[in-house]
Amino acid sequence: MKNIIKKISEFYSDLAAQVKKHDMAFKLILAFFLFLTVFYLSTNRFRKEQFDLKVGDIAPYDIKIKRNIEYVDYIKTEEKRKDLISKISPVFSFDLGILEEEKKKVDAFFDKVLEIDNEFDPFERKIEQAKSIKLMKDANLLKILFLNFKENNFRNKAKEVLTKIYNAGVTDLDPESITSLGQTGNIIKIYNNEQGEEISIRARLDDLYYLKTINYFEVVKSIYSSLRWDKVQFLNVYVKRHVRPNLLYDKKLTDEKIVNAIGLVKPVGMKLKKGQVIVRYGEEISESDFKILKEVVKYSSETSVIRGYFVVLLALFILSLLIFKIYSPAIFNNLKTFLFLLSFIFIAVLLTYLFPNFNSFLKVKILSSFYIPIGGFAILIHQLTNYATSFWVLLFISILSMFLVGFNFVDFIIILLIGFSAVILSGKLKKRIYMWYLGLLIGLFYSVLNLGMTGIMNFSEEQFLNSLLMGFVNGIISIIISMGLYPLFEYFFNMLTEYKLMELSDLNLPIMKRLLIEGPGTYNHSILVANMAETATLAIGANSLLARVGGYYHDIGKLENPEYFIENQFGDDNKHQKIKPSISSSIVKSHVKYGEELAGKLKVPIEIINIIKEHHGTTMISFFYRKALEDVKSGKSEKQDMHTYKYEGPMPTSKEAAIIMLADSVEAASRALKNPSYTRLQNMVRELINERFLDGQLDDCSLTLMDLKKIEESFSHVLSAMFHTRIEYPDQNQIKKLENEN
């Protein structure tokens, strides 16, 4: 797991390095992404604000129209279209040619019967002949046919029956299927007349013949009511052989009629006036009420309200970026810090959007601000930045929360008060256990605000108790969030925090042990510089812990060539005696560059890396420069460039870096001081500080003359304690001799 986190961190660092060249564009892109996220979440909540209610719920308040609205009622428009479609009769193509084809078959049948019907032949022979040519299989029906053939014109009767059936229309669909195509009770029959003209006839469904359910017996009887039963039976069976569908459903023509009809339907417009009550308090929300609510919310999400959200939010983001650019350039210009702030705000916005959803689990609703863990955001941002940044960011988040949970000014005030209180109190934390005390304090603040809201907003007893409970839960959740996210932000963004500094101040770290072993003189020098710097920063109110850690790490670059530095040289072996002053100068200067690289590999915060880079400023390496000048004078070398013997800088940009510079030079100079009395130490300190001041090395930091005076006094006291004199302890043999004499 540790390796995974490490790889993620390395990837993040590489990504930051790649965008460094175009960091302004990258910052604006990320800020715009955050803007779009907030815009979507805020408008999404706005679109859904009415959908906390559903059909059957009791309205908790009068639900009114906030502005005049004209919209298309798509539901009623669709109902109107469906009603029109249901009144469109399905179209069938009517084939009159089938009747003529079947009549010809009837003629052919009876022509064959006429050939067989010989009056001298017995019935049995006629029946056998009819069967042999497959006229009909049923002997009884053939007998009826031949017995009555001459006196009854079956040919014409069959044609009459078929004519009646086919003229009415025969379909292989059932009535239910036709009704599903159109509920008018009619169909449109379309056919072409002899002149080729298309004729449309409306027909009732009851007048049609359905192939599967035709009662041929009834049809025959309806035409020939006095016809004897056996003759009706023959026609009943015979006609059935010649009936097939002549009405075929024409889907294409039917759909064309539907499309043409729909095109004529005008949208149903609805008008709602501002102040109009949709549902009154205490009334049950009906299906029609809910439909109106949906349409109102849908309309609102598509009108100037959303555009207004966009403009106001965009203006807020632009204003915030300008404020940070003008009043906090160090934060805005630092890509790492800027990314941290955007990430922090993104997480805060997401949690602010999600947490109030728990309100839906309570029967009695409470203010959304009691769900938002603003205390956790406040503690976290203050521990990772400073007071000014914390207040700006909290104000920004508080304003955003109004968009995310609805424009409730009471929620805004509560969020702002809790957030600012948490920032102020978190500055007093000295131990981590105090975080839990702060969580209880946040819960107590919520309780006090709850009492006030109960009086102002007339909370019910249940609302009061729910708010009281949620306030203390919020305090605990705030601490969990701050403690949980704190190490993640600290690690991924390599933030300088008090806890990070405490970890780096551990002298048992591998880098410190290595310095102790490979450069013991540098190690002792660093410890003394750290002590001096810490005391001085306490005197002027700067970051003493940063100064101490900066003192420990300021010379780690000497690990590259520890033997080339005087504090690590023992005896008379001085390696600089064998090389040119210019080379010695390059070796000495390189410890700054190497220290910066080593600190980067150790993932040390940038503030400490800056101390390493700046602790020599652009000062002169005077010892080797003087030696070079002597060599030039004696003719051993040519004229030297002064800049070869100067550190490359930059000069200190922070109070802590400047104090490390002064402590470093003072501690080194004190080693060469003979008879270091307090007065001589004080004069030396004053002289070195004035030298750096007049050289312009302190121009880029914010130290004042009063600060320099306090630093001088602090250094003098520390050095005098280091070089204090001790009494000479008597020899033990002398003591024993005196004892014997007495």
Side-chain angles (χ1 to χ4, degrees):
M1 184 66 183
K2 189 175 180 181
N3 290 333
I4 294 174
I5 295 176
K6 185 177 180 181
K7 288 181 179 179
I8 294 174
S9 179
E10 289 174 353
F11 170 78
Y12 200 85
S13 299
D14 292 341
L15 180 63
Q18 290 175 12
V19 302
K20 193 172 182 180
K21 293 181 180 179
H22 308 285
D23 63 338
M24 179 58 73
F26 188 67
K27 290 172 187 175
L28 293 177
I29 290 172
L30 290 178
F32 188 67
F33 172 76
L34 178 62
F35 160 73
L36 291 178
T37 302
V38 175
F39 174 71
Y40 172 77
L41 293 178
S42 59
T43 53
N44 187 52
R45 180 175 293 279
F46 175 77
R47 286 190 290 267
K48 293 181 177 180
E49 64 180 353
Q50 301 288 358
F51 289 101
D52 289 338
L53 304 170
K54 57 183 181 295
V55 176
D57 284 352
I58 302 300
Y61 50 86
D62 286 348
I63 303 176
K64 298 180 180 180
I65 302 299
K66 297 179 180 179
R67 62 189 59 82
N68 292 331
I69 294 175
E70 292 185 12
Y71 67 95
V72 175
D73 190 329
Y74 292 102
I75 296 175
K76 289 187 177 180
T77 302
E78 187 61 27
E79 289 176 352
K80 187 176 179 181
R81 288 172 179 170
K82 288 181 179 179
D83 181 62
L84 182 61
I85 291 171
S86 68
K87 294 178 180 179
I88 295 176
S89 300
V91 179
F92 285 76
S93 56
F94 190 29
D95 192 348
L96 296 177
I98 293 178
L99 174 59
E100 299 304 320
E101 292 174 5
E102 295 304 325
K103 282 183 177 181
K104 290 178 181 179
K105 293 179 182 179
V106 170
D107 286 334
F109 176 84
F110 284 103
D111 286 343
K112 291 180 180 180
V113 172
L114 187 60
E115 293 175 0
I116 296 171
D117 187 28
N118 189 330
E119 59 180 331
F120 301 107
D121 290 339
F123 286 112
E124 291 75 7
R125 180 174 174 78
K126 294 179 183 179
I127 291 172
E128 288 300 325
Q129 287 182 5
K131 285 183 176 182
S132 66
I133 61 173
K134 298 181 180 180
L135 282 180
M136 194 175 283
K137 295 180 180 179
D138 194 326
N140 291 327
L141 292 176
L142 287 171
K143 186 176 181 180
I144 295 171
L145 173 62
F146 287 115
L147 281 174
N148 303 286
F149 180 67
K150 290 183 178 179
E151 61 186 64
N152 289 280
N153 191 350
F154 284 123
R155 183 194 301 261
N156 291 336
K157 287 184 172 60
K159 288 182 180 181
E160 285 292 330
V161 174
L162 288 174
T163 299
K164 180 175 182 178
I165 292 173
Y166 277 115
N167 283 342
V170 180
T171 176
D172 56 356
L173 299 177
D174 53 63
E176 291 76 16
S177 299
I178 297 177
T179 302
S180 67
L181 298 174
Q183 301 176 5
T184 61
N186 301 305
I187 67 167
I188 303 296
K189 298 191 294 186
I190 296 179
Y191 67 96
N192 293 323
N193 59 17
E194 294 178 355
Q195 288 75 34
E197 298 173 339
E198 187 176 271
I199 306 298
S200 298
I201 304 174
R202 184 177 296 276
R204 296 175 62 251
L205 297 183
D206 294 341
D207 295 336
L208 303 180
Y209 286 101
Y210 302 95
L211 186 63
K212 297 177 182 178
T213 59
I214 298 177
N215 190 333
Y216 295 97
F217 187 86
E218 291 296 330
V219 177
V220 174
K221 288 292 290 181
S222 66
I223 300 173
Y224 305 106
S225 57
S226 60
L227 194 64
R228 204 171 64 204
W229 181 88
D230 57 341
K231 298 174 183 178
V232 173
Q233 182 63 23
F234 171 78
L235 288 173
N236 176 39
V237 175
Y238 176 72
V239 168
K240 188 175 182 179
R241 296 170 54 182
H242 294 282
V243 176
R244 54 192 172 103
N246 71 334
L247 278 177
L248 299 176
Y249 174 61
D250 194 325
K251 186 177 184 306
K252 182 179 178 181
L253 288 176
T254 304
D255 289 344
E256 287 179 1
K257 286 173 64 70
I258 292 173
V259 170
N260 292 334
I262 289 176
L264 299 175
V265 176
K266 294 183 179 179
V268 178
M270 297 292 291
K271 292 183 179 180
L272 299 173
K273 293 184 178 180
K274 181 179 179 180
Q276 180 178 336
V277 178
I278 300 175
V279 189
R280 292 198 176 276
Y281 169 74
E283 292 181 355
E284 183 177 325
I285 297 176
S286 65
E287 184 74 35
S288 59
D289 295 332
F290 188 70
K291 287 179 180 178
I292 293 175
L293 287 176
K294 286 175 65 177
E295 291 297 332
V296 169
V297 173
K298 180 180 178 182
Y299 170 83
S300 299
S301 67
E302 295 172 353
T303 57
S304 58
V305 177
I306 301 302
R307 291 196 295 272
Y309 266 58
F310 185 89
V311 172
V312 173
L313 271 175
L314 186 61
L316 177 63
F317 269 78
I318 293 174
L319 179 62
S320 300
L321 288 174
L322 289 175
I323 288 173
F324 275 103
K325 176 67 175 175
I326 297 171
Y327 296 103
S328 299
I331 291 176
F332 187 87
N333 295 330
N334 189 312
L335 182 60
K336 179 195 71 173
T337 310
F338 190 81
L339 288 176
F340 156 70
L341 286 179
L342 288 184
S343 302
F344 175 82
I345 294 172
F346 176 79
I347 293 175
V349 162
L350 200 60
L351 293 178
T352 301
Y353 176 77
L354 294 175
F355 270 84
N357 290 328
F358 290 107
N359 215 352
S360 60
F361 294 104
L362 296 178
K363 292 181 180 178
V364 178
K365 311 301 181 187
I366 63 176
L367 291 171
S368 297
S369 53
F370 279 76
Y371 290 98
I372 299 172
I374 191 66
F377 304 152
I379 296 169
L380 189 58
I381 191 66
H382 178 245
Q383 288 183 327
L384 293 171
T385 57
N386 52 49
Y387 277 111
T389 304
S390 302
F391 286 131
W392 274 116
V393 171
L394 279 176
L395 179 61
F396 183 65
I397 292 174
S398 300
I399 296 173
L400 291 183
S401 69
M402 294 180 67
F403 288 87
L404 294 168
V405 302
F407 286 95
N408 189 328
F409 190 70
V410 174
D411 281 325
F412 171 74
I413 294 298
I414 291 175
I415 290 171
L416 206 59
L417 289 175
I418 295 294
F420 281 10
S421 301
V423 167
I424 295 169
L425 291 173
S426 64
K428 308 296 182 182
L429 298 177
K430 298 299 180 184
K431 298 180 181 179
R432 297 201 181 196
I433 189 63
Y434 292 168
M435 294 276 282
W436 293 103
Y437 298 156
L438 181 54
L440 294 176
L441 272 177
I442 291 173
L444 184 62
F445 287 159
Y446 272 114
S447 301
V448 173
L449 291 172
N450 185 30
L451 285 172
M453 292 304 103
T454 301
I456 295 172
M457 303 185 69
N458 296 320
F459 280 178
S460 65
E461 182 180 351
E462 191 171 358
Q463 282 178 309
F464 172 77
L465 293 175
N466 285 342
S467 299
L468 187 66
L469 174 63
M470 196 60 223
F472 279 99
V473 171
N474 190 322
I476 302 302
I477 291 175
S478 293
I479 300 306
I480 293 173
I481 287 175
S482 61
M483 295 182 71
L485 293 178
Y486 181 89
L488 295 178
F489 278 121
E490 181 188 70
Y491 183 82
F492 284 115
F493 293 97
N494 199 18
M495 302 292 291
L496 180 71
T497 64
E498 185 175 351
Y499 301 115
K500 183 75 171 180
L501 289 172
M502 290 173 67
E503 292 173 2
L504 293 173
S505 66
D506 184 2
L507 295 177
N508 290 314
L509 289 173
I511 187 64
M512 290 292 105
K513 287 187 174 181
R514 182 184 167 194
L515 187 61
L516 174 62
I517 295 169
E518 297 180 21
T522 301
Y523 176 85
N524 288 318
H525 164 72
S526 298
I527 297 297
L528 293 173
V529 168
N531 290 336
M532 293 173 63
E534 182 179 24
T535 306
T537 48
L538 284 171
I540 67 170
N543 191 333
S544 59
L545 189 54
L546 173 59
R548 168 174 282 278
V549 176
Y552 289 159
Y553 282 80
H554 80 285
D555 269 346
I556 60 172
K558 291 181 178 180
L559 284 170
E560 184 178 25
N561 295 297
E563 68 277 8
Y564 281 89
F565 296 90
I566 189 66
E567 67 266 25
N568 299 316
Q569 294 173 356
F570 305 101
D572 297 328
D573 184 22
N574 189 338
K575 293 184 178 293
H576 291 288
Q577 293 175 351
K578 302 175 184 179
I579 57 178
K580 294 179 180 181
S582 59
I583 297 176
S584 296
S585 176
S586 297
I587 293 172
V588 171
K589 285 197 300 183
S590 67
H591 87 276
V592 176
K593 185 66 176 177
Y594 181 71
E596 179 186 351
E597 293 174 357
L598 183 56
K601 292 177 182 178
L602 295 172
K603 302 295 182 183
V604 172
I606 189 65
E607 291 80 0
I608 296 174
I609 293 177
N610 288 338
I611 290 176
I612 296 172
K613 290 164 55 178
E614 299 168 0
H615 80 278
H616 280 297
T618 58
T619 57
M620 179 75 71
I621 307 174
S622 55
F623 179 84
F624 292 113
Y625 184 55
R626 181 174 60 83
K627 187 177 179 183
L629 292 176
E630 290 174 352
D631 288 348
V632 172
K633 185 177 180 181
S634 63
K636 292 182 180 180
S637 65
E638 297 178 354
K639 187 176 181 179
Q640 299 290 312
D641 183 3
M642 182 179 65
H643 294 287
T644 305
Y645 299 91
K646 273 193 170 186
Y647 286 98
E648 297 175 359
M651 292 185 292
T653 55
S654 66
K655 290 183 178 181
E656 294 79 11
I659 290 173
I660 294 294
M661 168 190 274
L662 297 174
D664 182 46
S665 58
V666 166
E667 196 281 331
S670 69
R671 295 292 180 179
L673 192 65
K674 296 178 180 179
N675 300 321
S677 65
Y678 181 82
T679 303
R680 297 189 70 183
L681 287 170
Q682 189 177 36
N683 290 335
M684 180 203 67
V685 170
R686 183 182 301 115
E687 182 181 339
L688 286 173
I689 291 177
N690 287 337
E691 182 182 321
R692 294 290 183 266
F693 177 75
L694 294 173
D695 191 32
Q697 298 298 321
L698 306 179
D699 290 352
D700 293 341
C701 68
S702 56
L703 288 176
T704 64
L705 292 176
M706 182 61 71
D707 290 336
L708 292 178
K709 181 64 177 176
K710 291 179 181 178
I711 292 169
E712 175 192 325
E713 293 173 356
S714 174
F715 283 176
S716 299
H717 283 294
V718 173
L719 288 173
S720 65
M722 288 169 52
F723 293 103
H724 70 278
T725 59
R726 290 181 177 272
I727 62 172
E728 183 179 351
Y729 289 97
D731 184 57
Q732 292 296 320
N733 292 327
Q734 291 179 348
I735 293 175
K736 288 181 179 180
K737 183 179 179 180
L738 289 172
E739 287 176 346
N740 293 331
E741 290 178 353
N742 294 326

